[in-house]
Each structure stands twice: as C-alpha cells, then as structure tokens.
Amino acid sequence: MNSPHRRTFVQWCRRYISISLLVTVAILSYMLFFSDNSVSETYVYDRQIDSLKLAIRSISDSLRYYQDLERRLNTDPEEMEQVVRENYHMQRPDEDVFVVQ
C-alpha cells in the first residue's frame, strides 16, 4: 500500500514544505490577485492615471489659448474688434455682413 515513491514524496513534503511557507504563499497569493492592490487593479489604475494626464494636458492647452486671448483682448482694441465681428457677427452701422455657413 505504501509504495517507496509515495513515501519519498511525503518525506520530501515534510522536509521542504513547512506551515510558515504555506502561510507565506497564501498571503502573497491573496495580495497579488484578490486584494484592492492586486496586479489587475494596479493596471486599471495606471490606465486611468494615463488618461487623466492626457485630459489635463489638453485642458491646459485650452487654458493657455484662452488666457492668451484674454490678454490680447485687454491690451489691443483692434483684436477685440476682430473677435467681436467674427464670433458675434456684429457690424458697423454703414456696412452689410453676410454670414456663410
């Protein structure tokens, strides 16, 4: 019933596998795959961070554009007139404006 192969396997297990090793492996497995800080969750969080950084970059570009436009509108009356005429279709009393869309 107890073959020599079975006896050597059991002896090997008793010799090299201890309770502390099993507990350590169980804790590491839990931490890597099942906890909130698991590998898959970390990957998802990294993807979200990358997309948010891209959004911040595009929003900061827009912010710089509008800050520059505000600066130009506050300092240059000709720039203000151009923006008002182009965006709000305003005209002088003696001219006709045709809006083509």
Side-chain angles (χ1 to χ4, degrees):
M1 183 155 166
N2 283 337
S3 67
H5 180 1
R6 172 114 173 121
R7 191 176 318 134
T8 58
F9 177 72
V10 171
Q11 288 172 348
W12 181 88
C13 289
R14 284 184 182 168
R15 183 174 185 179
Y16 292 108
I17 297 176
S18 65
I19 297 295
S20 60
L21 177 65
L22 289 176
V23 169
T24 304
V25 168
I27 290 173
L28 285 175
S29 298
Y30 174 75
M31 287 173 43
L32 286 175
F33 300 111
F34 302 110
S35 70
D36 289 337
N37 297 325
S38 67
V39 175
S40 61
E41 291 292 325
T42 303
Y43 178 72
V44 170
Y45 294 150
D46 286 342
R47 298 280 305 230
Q48 285 180 340
I49 288 171
D50 292 340
S51 67
L52 290 173
K53 283 182 180 179
L54 183 64
I56 288 172
R57 205 172 315 138
S58 68
I59 288 172
S60 65
D61 289 343
S62 298
L63 177 66
R64 272 187 255 123
Y65 169 77
Y66 286 113
Q67 285 175 340
D68 183 52
L69 180 64
E70 180 187 18
R71 183 190 52 77
R72 287 185 290 151
L73 290 175
N74 287 334
T75 58
D76 189 12
E78 292 174 1
E79 182 75 24
M80 183 185 300
E81 181 182 351
Q82 177 185 355
V83 169
V84 167
R85 291 168 66 101
E86 289 176 358
N87 293 342
Y88 300 108
H89 309 296
M90 295 186 143
Q91 61 189 8
R92 292 188 179 133
D94 60 339
E95 71 181 5
D96 294 328
V97 175
F98 297 99
V99 178
V100 179
Q101 292 182 349

Coordinates of all heavy atoms in Angstrom, one line a residue, residues 33-98:
F33 N -3.5 38.8 -6.1 CA -4.6 38.5 -7.0 C -6.0 38.9 -6.5 O -6.9 39.2 -7.3 CB -4.6 37.0 -7.4 CG -3.4 36.5 -8.0 CD1 -2.5 35.7 -7.4 CD2 -3.1 37.0 -9.3 CE1 -1.4 35.3 -8.0 CE2 -1.9 36.6 -10.0 CZ -1.1 35.7 -9.3
F34 N -6.2 39.0 -5.2 CA -7.5 39.2 -4.7 C -7.7 40.5 -3.9 O -8.8 40.8 -3.6 CB -7.9 38.0 -3.8 CG -7.8 36.7 -4.5 CD1 -6.9 35.8 -4.2 CD2 -8.7 36.4 -5.6 CE1 -6.8 34.6 -4.9 CE2 -8.7 35.3 -6.3 CZ -7.7 34.3 -5.9
S35 N -6.7 41.2 -3.5 CA -6.9 42.4 -2.7 C -7.1 43.6 -3.5 O -7.1 43.6 -4.8 CB -5.6 42.6 -1.8 OG -4.5 43.0 -2.6
D36 N -7.3 44.8 -2.9 CA -7.5 46.0 -3.6 C -6.3 46.5 -4.3 O -6.4 47.3 -5.3 CB -8.0 47.1 -2.7 CG -9.4 46.9 -2.2 OD1 -10.2 46.1 -2.9 OD2 -9.8 47.4 -1.1
N37 N -5.1 46.0 -3.9 CA -3.9 46.4 -4.5 C -3.3 45.3 -5.4 O -2.1 45.1 -5.6 CB -2.8 46.7 -3.4 CG -3.2 47.9 -2.6 OD1 -3.8 48.8 -3.1 ND2 -3.0 47.9 -1.3
S38 N -4.2 44.5 -6.0 CA -3.8 43.4 -6.8 C -3.2 43.9 -8.1 O -3.3 45.1 -8.5 CB -5.0 42.5 -7.1 OG -5.9 43.2 -8.0
V39 N -2.6 43.0 -8.9 CA -1.9 43.3 -10.1 C -2.9 43.9 -11.1 O -2.6 44.9 -11.8 CB -1.2 42.1 -10.7 CG1 -0.6 42.4 -12.0 CG2 -0.1 41.6 -9.7
S40 N -4.1 43.3 -11.2 CA -5.1 43.8 -12.2 C -5.6 45.2 -11.8 O -5.8 46.0 -12.7 CB -6.2 42.8 -12.4 OG -6.9 42.6 -11.1
E41 N -5.8 45.4 -10.6 CA -6.3 46.7 -10.1 C -5.2 47.8 -10.4 O -5.5 48.9 -10.8 CB -6.7 46.7 -8.6 CG -7.9 45.9 -8.3 CD -9.2 46.5 -8.9 OE1 -9.3 47.7 -8.9 OE2 -10.1 45.7 -9.3
T42 N -4.0 47.4 -10.1 CA -2.9 48.4 -10.4 C -2.8 48.7 -11.8 O -2.6 49.9 -12.2 CB -1.6 47.8 -9.9 OG1 -1.7 47.4 -8.5 CG2 -0.4 48.7 -10.1
Y43 N -3.0 47.8 -12.7 CA -3.0 48.0 -14.1 C -4.2 48.9 -14.5 O -4.0 49.9 -15.3 CB -3.1 46.7 -14.9 CG -3.2 46.9 -16.4 CD1 -2.1 47.2 -17.1 CD2 -4.4 46.7 -17.1 CE1 -2.1 47.4 -18.5 CE2 -4.4 46.8 -18.5 CZ -3.3 47.2 -19.2 OH -3.3 47.3 -20.5
V44 N -5.3 48.7 -14.0 CA -6.5 49.6 -14.3 C -6.2 51.0 -13.8 O -6.5 52.0 -14.5 CB -7.8 49.0 -13.6 CG1 -8.9 50.0 -13.7 CG2 -8.2 47.7 -14.3
Y45 N -5.7 51.1 -12.6 CA -5.4 52.4 -12.0 C -4.3 53.2 -12.9 O -4.4 54.4 -13.1 CB -4.9 52.3 -10.6 CG -6.0 51.9 -9.6 CD1 -5.6 51.1 -8.5 CD2 -7.3 52.1 -9.8 CE1 -6.6 50.7 -7.6 CE2 -8.3 51.7 -9.0 CZ -7.9 51.0 -7.8 OH -8.9 50.5 -7.0
D46 N -3.3 52.5 -13.4 CA -2.3 53.1 -14.2 C -2.9 53.6 -15.5 O -2.6 54.7 -16.0 CB -1.2 52.1 -14.5 CG -0.3 51.9 -13.3 OD1 -0.3 52.7 -12.4 OD2 0.5 50.9 -13.3
R47 N -3.9 52.8 -16.1 CA -4.5 53.3 -17.3 C -5.4 54.5 -17.0 O -5.4 55.5 -17.9 CB -5.5 52.2 -17.8 CG -4.7 50.9 -18.3 CD -4.1 51.0 -19.6 NE -5.1 51.4 -20.6 CZ -5.4 50.8 -21.7 NH1 -4.7 49.8 -22.1 NH2 -6.3 51.3 -22.5
Q48 N -6.1 54.6 -15.9 CA -6.8 55.8 -15.6 C -5.9 57.0 -15.3 O -6.3 58.1 -15.8 CB -7.6 55.5 -14.3 CG -8.8 54.7 -14.5 CD -9.6 54.4 -13.2 OE1 -9.1 54.6 -12.1 NE2 -10.8 54.0 -13.3
I49 N -4.8 56.8 -14.7 CA -3.8 57.9 -14.5 C -3.4 58.4 -15.8 O -3.3 59.6 -16.0 CB -2.7 57.4 -13.6 CG1 -3.1 57.2 -12.2 CG2 -1.5 58.4 -13.7 CD1 -2.1 56.5 -11.3
D50 N -3.0 57.5 -16.8 CA -2.6 58.0 -18.1 C -3.6 58.8 -18.8 O -3.4 59.8 -19.4 CB -2.1 56.8 -18.9 CG -0.9 56.1 -18.4 OD1 -0.1 56.8 -17.7 OD2 -0.7 54.9 -18.8
S51 N -4.9 58.3 -18.8 CA -6.0 59.0 -19.5 C -6.2 60.4 -18.8 O -6.5 61.4 -19.5 CB -7.3 58.2 -19.5 OG -7.8 58.0 -18.2
L52 N -6.1 60.4 -17.5 CA -6.3 61.7 -16.8 C -5.2 62.7 -17.1 O -5.4 63.9 -17.2 CB -6.5 61.5 -15.3 CG -7.8 60.8 -14.8 CD1 -7.7 60.5 -13.4 CD2 -9.0 61.7 -15.2
K53 N -4.0 62.2 -17.2 CA -2.9 63.1 -17.5 C -3.0 63.6 -18.9 O -2.7 64.8 -19.2 CB -1.5 62.3 -17.5 CG -1.0 62.1 -16.1 CD 0.3 61.4 -16.0 CE 0.8 61.2 -14.6 NZ 2.1 60.5 -14.6
L54 N -3.5 62.8 -19.9 CA -3.8 63.3 -21.2 C -4.9 64.4 -21.2 O -4.8 65.4 -21.9 CB -4.2 62.1 -22.1 CG -4.5 62.4 -23.6 CD1 -3.2 62.9 -24.2 CD2 -5.0 61.2 -24.3
A55 N -5.9 64.2 -20.4 CA -7.0 65.2 -20.3 C -6.5 66.5 -19.7 O -6.8 67.6 -20.2 CB -8.2 64.6 -19.4
I56 N -5.6 66.4 -18.7 CA -5.1 67.6 -18.1 C -4.2 68.3 -19.1 O -4.3 69.5 -19.2 CB -4.2 67.2 -16.8 CG1 -5.1 66.8 -15.7 CG2 -3.3 68.3 -16.4 CD1 -4.4 66.2 -14.5
R57 N -3.5 67.6 -19.9 CA -2.6 68.2 -20.9 C -3.5 69.0 -21.9 O -3.2 70.1 -22.3 CB -1.8 67.2 -21.6 CG -0.5 67.7 -22.2 CD 0.4 66.6 -22.7 NE 0.5 65.5 -21.8 CZ 0.5 64.2 -22.1 NH1 0.5 63.9 -23.4 NH2 0.7 63.3 -21.2
S58 N -4.6 68.4 -22.4 CA -5.4 69.0 -23.4 C -6.1 70.2 -22.8 O -6.3 71.3 -23.4 CB -6.4 68.1 -24.0 OG -7.3 67.7 -23.1
I59 N -6.6 70.1 -21.5 CA -7.3 71.2 -20.9 C -6.3 72.4 -20.6 O -6.6 73.5 -20.8 CB -7.9 70.7 -19.6 CG1 -9.1 69.9 -20.0 CG2 -8.4 71.9 -18.7 CD1 -9.8 69.2 -18.8
S60 N -5.1 72.1 -20.3 CA -4.1 73.1 -20.0 C -3.7 73.9 -21.3 O -3.5 75.1 -21.3 CB -2.9 72.6 -19.3 OG -2.2 71.7 -20.2
D61 N -3.7 73.1 -22.5 CA -3.5 73.8 -23.7 C -4.7 74.8 -24.0 O -4.4 75.9 -24.5 CB -3.4 72.8 -24.9 CG -2.1 72.0 -24.8 OD1 -1.2 72.4 -24.1 OD2 -2.1 70.9 -25.5
S62 N -5.9 74.3 -23.8 CA -7.1 75.2 -24.0 C -7.0 76.4 -23.0 O -7.3 77.6 -23.4 CB -8.4 74.5 -23.8 OG -8.5 73.4 -24.7
L63 N -6.6 76.2 -21.8 CA -6.5 77.3 -20.8 C -5.4 78.3 -21.3 O -5.7 79.5 -21.2 CB -6.1 76.7 -19.5 CG -5.8 77.7 -18.4 CD1 -7.1 78.4 -18.0 CD2 -5.3 77.0 -17.1
R64 N -4.3 77.8 -21.8 CA -3.3 78.8 -22.3 C -3.8 79.6 -23.5 O -3.5 80.8 -23.6 CB -2.0 78.0 -22.7 CG -1.1 77.8 -21.5 CD 0.3 77.3 -22.0 NE 0.2 75.9 -21.5 CZ 0.4 74.8 -22.3 NH1 0.7 74.9 -23.6 NH2 0.3 73.6 -21.8
Y65 N -4.6 78.9 -24.4 CA -5.1 79.7 -25.5 C -6.1 80.8 -25.0 O -6.0 81.9 -25.5 CB -5.9 78.7 -26.4 CG -6.7 79.4 -27.5 CD1 -6.1 80.0 -28.6 CD2 -8.1 79.5 -27.3 CE1 -6.9 80.6 -29.5 CE2 -8.9 80.2 -28.3 CZ -8.3 80.7 -29.4 OH -9.0 81.4 -30.3
Y66 N -7.0 80.5 -24.1 CA -7.9 81.5 -23.6 C -7.3 82.5 -22.8 O -7.7 83.7 -22.8 CB -9.1 80.8 -22.9 CG -10.0 80.1 -23.9 CD1 -10.2 78.7 -23.9 CD2 -10.7 80.8 -24.8 CE1 -11.0 78.1 -24.8 CE2 -11.6 80.2 -25.7 CZ -11.7 78.8 -25.7 OH -12.5 78.2 -26.6
Q67 N -6.2 82.2 -22.0 CA -5.5 83.2 -21.3 C -4.8 84.2 -22.2 O -4.8 85.4 -22.0 CB -4.5 82.6 -20.4 CG -5.1 81.9 -19.1 CD -4.1 81.2 -18.3 OE1 -3.0 80.8 -18.8 NE2 -4.4 80.9 -17.0
D68 N -4.2 83.6 -23.3 CA -3.6 84.5 -24.3 C -4.6 85.4 -25.0 O -4.4 86.6 -25.3 CB -2.8 83.6 -25.3 CG -2.1 84.5 -26.3 OD1 -1.3 85.4 -25.9 OD2 -2.3 84.2 -27.6
L69 N -5.8 84.8 -25.3 CA -6.8 85.6 -26.0 C -7.3 86.7 -25.1 O -7.5 87.8 -25.5 CB -8.0 84.7 -26.4 CG -9.2 85.4 -27.1 CD1 -8.7 85.9 -28.4 CD2 -10.3 84.4 -27.3
E70 N -7.5 86.4 -23.8 CA -7.9 87.4 -22.8 C -6.9 88.5 -22.7 O -7.2 89.7 -22.7 CB -8.1 86.8 -21.5 CG -8.6 87.8 -20.4 CD -8.6 87.2 -19.0 OE1 -8.0 86.2 -18.8 OE2 -9.3 87.9 -18.2
R71 N -5.6 88.2 -22.7 CA -4.5 89.2 -22.6 C -4.6 90.1 -23.9 O -4.5 91.3 -23.8 CB -3.2 88.5 -22.5 CG -2.0 89.5 -22.4 CD -0.7 88.8 -22.5 NE -0.5 87.9 -23.7 CZ -0.3 88.4 -24.9 NH1 -0.2 89.7 -25.1 NH2 -0.2 87.6 -25.9
R72 N -4.7 89.4 -25.0 CA -4.8 90.2 -26.3 C -6.0 91.1 -26.3 O -5.9 92.3 -26.8 CB -4.7 89.3 -27.5 CG -3.4 88.7 -27.7 CD -3.3 87.9 -29.0 NE -4.1 86.7 -28.8 CZ -4.8 86.1 -29.8 NH1 -4.7 86.5 -31.0 NH2 -5.5 85.0 -29.5
L73 N -7.2 90.6 -25.9 CA -8.4 91.4 -25.9 C -8.3 92.6 -24.9 O -8.8 93.7 -25.2 CB -9.6 90.6 -25.5 CG -10.0 89.5 -26.5 CD1 -11.1 88.7 -26.0 CD2 -10.4 90.2 -27.8
N74 N -7.6 92.4 -23.8 CA -7.5 93.5 -22.8 C -6.5 94.6 -23.3 O -6.5 95.7 -22.8 CB -7.1 93.0 -21.5 CG -8.2 92.3 -20.8 OD1 -9.4 92.5 -21.1 ND2 -7.9 91.3 -19.9
T75 N -5.5 94.2 -24.1 CA -4.5 95.2 -24.5 C -4.6 95.8 -25.9 O -4.2 96.9 -26.1 CB -3.1 94.5 -24.4 OG1 -3.1 93.4 -25.3 CG2 -2.8 94.1 -23.0
D76 N -5.3 95.1 -26.8 CA -5.4 95.5 -28.2 C -6.8 95.7 -28.6 O -7.6 94.7 -28.8 CB -4.7 94.5 -29.0 CG -4.5 94.9 -30.5 OD1 -4.7 96.1 -30.7 OD2 -4.2 94.1 -31.3
P77 N -7.3 97.0 -28.8 CA -8.6 97.2 -29.2 C -9.0 96.6 -30.6 O -10.1 96.2 -30.9 CB -8.8 98.7 -29.2 CG -7.5 99.3 -28.8 CD -6.5 98.2 -28.6
E78 N -8.0 96.6 -31.5 CA -8.2 96.0 -32.8 C -8.5 94.5 -32.8 O -9.3 94.0 -33.5 CB -7.0 96.3 -33.8 CG -6.9 97.8 -34.1 CD -5.6 98.0 -34.9 OE1 -4.9 97.1 -35.2 OE2 -5.3 99.2 -35.2
E79 N -7.8 93.9 -31.9 CA -8.0 92.4 -31.7 C -9.4 92.2 -31.1 O -10.1 91.3 -31.5 CB -7.0 91.9 -30.7 CG -7.1 90.4 -30.4 CD -6.6 89.5 -31.6 OE1 -5.8 90.0 -32.4 OE2 -7.0 88.4 -31.7
M80 N -9.9 93.1 -30.2 CA -11.2 92.9 -29.6 C -12.2 93.1 -30.7 O -13.2 92.4 -30.8 CB -11.4 93.9 -28.5 CG -12.8 93.8 -27.9 SD -13.2 95.0 -26.6 CE -11.9 94.8 -25.5
E81 N -12.0 94.1 -31.6 CA -13.0 94.3 -32.7 C -13.1 93.1 -33.6 O -14.1 92.7 -34.0 CB -12.6 95.6 -33.4 CG -13.5 95.9 -34.6 CD -13.1 97.1 -35.4 OE1 -12.2 97.8 -34.9 OE2 -13.7 97.3 -36.4
Q82 N -11.9 92.6 -33.9 CA -11.9 91.4 -34.8 C -12.6 90.2 -34.2 O -13.4 89.6 -34.9 CB -10.4 91.0 -35.1 CG -10.3 89.8 -36.0 CD -8.9 89.3 -36.2 OE1 -8.0 90.0 -35.7 NE2 -8.7 88.2 -36.8
V83 N -12.4 90.0 -32.9 CA -13.1 88.8 -32.3 C -14.6 89.1 -32.2 O -15.4 88.2 -32.5 CB -12.5 88.6 -30.9 CG1 -13.4 87.6 -30.1 CG2 -11.1 88.1 -30.9
V84 N -15.0 90.3 -31.9 CA -16.4 90.6 -31.8 C -17.1 90.5 -33.2 O -18.2 89.9 -33.3 CB -16.6 92.0 -31.2 CG1 -18.0 92.5 -31.4 CG2 -16.3 92.0 -29.7
R85 N -16.4 90.9 -34.2 CA -17.0 90.9 -35.5 C -17.1 89.4 -36.0 O -18.1 89.1 -36.7 CB -16.2 91.8 -36.5 CG -16.4 93.3 -36.2 CD -15.4 94.1 -36.9 NE -15.6 94.1 -38.3 CZ -16.2 95.0 -39.0 NH1 -16.6 96.1 -38.4 NH2 -16.3 94.9 -40.3
E86 N -16.1 88.6 -35.8 CA -16.1 87.3 -36.3 C -17.0 86.3 -35.5 O -17.7 85.6 -36.1 CB -14.6 86.7 -36.2 CG -13.7 87.3 -37.3 CD -12.3 86.8 -37.1 OE1 -12.0 86.0 -36.2 OE2 -11.5 87.2 -38.0
N87 N -17.0 86.4 -34.2 CA -17.7 85.5 -33.4 C -19.2 85.9 -33.1 O -20.0 85.0 -33.0 CB -17.0 85.3 -32.0 CG -15.7 84.6 -32.2 OD1 -15.4 84.0 -33.2 ND2 -14.8 84.7 -31.1
Y88 N -19.4 87.2 -33.0 CA -20.8 87.6 -32.7 C -21.5 88.3 -33.9 O -22.6 88.8 -33.7 CB -20.7 88.5 -31.5 CG -20.1 87.8 -30.3 CD1 -18.9 88.2 -29.8 CD2 -20.8 86.8 -29.6 CE1 -18.3 87.5 -28.8 CE2 -20.2 86.2 -28.6 CZ -19.0 86.5 -28.1 OH -18.4 85.9 -27.1
H89 N -20.9 88.3 -35.0 CA -21.5 88.8 -36.3 C -22.0 90.2 -36.1 O -23.0 90.6 -36.6 CB -22.6 87.9 -36.7 CG -22.3 86.5 -36.8 ND1 -21.3 86.0 -37.7 CD2 -22.7 85.4 -36.1 CE1 -21.2 84.7 -37.5 NE2 -22.0 84.3 -36.6
M90 N -21.2 91.0 -35.4 CA -21.5 92.5 -35.2 C -21.0 93.2 -36.4 O -20.0 92.8 -37.1 CB -21.0 93.0 -33.9 CG -21.6 92.3 -32.7 SD -21.1 93.1 -31.2 CE -22.5 93.0 -30.3
Q91 N -21.6 94.4 -36.6 CA -21.2 95.2 -37.8 C -21.2 96.6 -37.4 O -21.9 97.1 -36.5 CB -22.2 94.9 -38.9 CG -23.6 95.3 -38.6 CD -24.6 94.8 -39.7 OE1 -24.2 94.1 -40.6 NE2 -25.8 95.2 -39.6
R92 N -20.6 97.4 -38.3 CA -20.7 98.8 -38.1 C -22.0 99.3 -38.8 O -22.6 98.6 -39.6 CB -19.5 99.5 -38.9 CG -18.2 99.1 -38.2 CD -17.0 99.9 -38.8 NE -15.8 99.6 -38.1 CZ -14.7 99.3 -38.7 NH1 -14.6 99.3 -40.0 NH2 -13.6 99.1 -38.0
P93 N -22.4 100.5 -38.4 CA -23.7 100.9 -38.9 C -23.8 101.1 -40.5 O -24.8 100.9 -41.1 CB -23.9 102.3 -38.3 CG -23.0 102.3 -37.1 CD -21.9 101.4 -37.4
D94 N -22.6 101.3 -41.1 CA -22.7 101.6 -42.5 C -22.2 100.4 -43.4 O -21.9 100.5 -44.6 CB -21.8 102.8 -42.9 CG -20.3 102.6 -42.4 OD1 -20.1 101.7 -41.6 OD2 -19.5 103.3 -43.0
E95 N -22.2 99.2 -42.8 CA -21.8 98.0 -43.6 C -22.7 96.9 -43.5 O -23.5 96.8 -42.6 CB -20.4 97.6 -43.2 CG -20.3 96.9 -41.9 CD -18.9 96.5 -41.5 OE1 -17.9 96.8 -42.2 OE2 -18.7 95.9 -40.4
D96 N -22.7 96.0 -44.5 CA -23.5 94.8 -44.6 C -22.6 93.6 -44.3 O -21.5 93.5 -44.8 CB -24.2 94.7 -45.9 CG -25.2 95.8 -46.2 OD1 -25.8 96.3 -45.2 OD2 -25.3 96.2 -47.4
V97 N -23.1 92.6 -43.5 CA -22.4 91.4 -43.2 C -23.2 90.2 -43.7 O -24.4 90.1 -43.5 CB -22.2 91.3 -41.7 CG1 -21.5 90.0 -41.4 CG2 -21.4 92.5 -41.2
F98 N -22.5 89.4 -44.5 CA -23.1 88.2 -45.0 C -22.5 87.0 -44.3 O -21.3 86.8 -44.4 CB -22.9 88.0 -46.5 CG -23.6 89.2 -47.3 CD1 -22.8 90.3 -47.7 CD2 -24.9 89.2 -47.5 CE1 -23.4 91.3 -48.4 CE2 -25.5 90.2 -48.2 CZ -24.7 91.3 -48.7

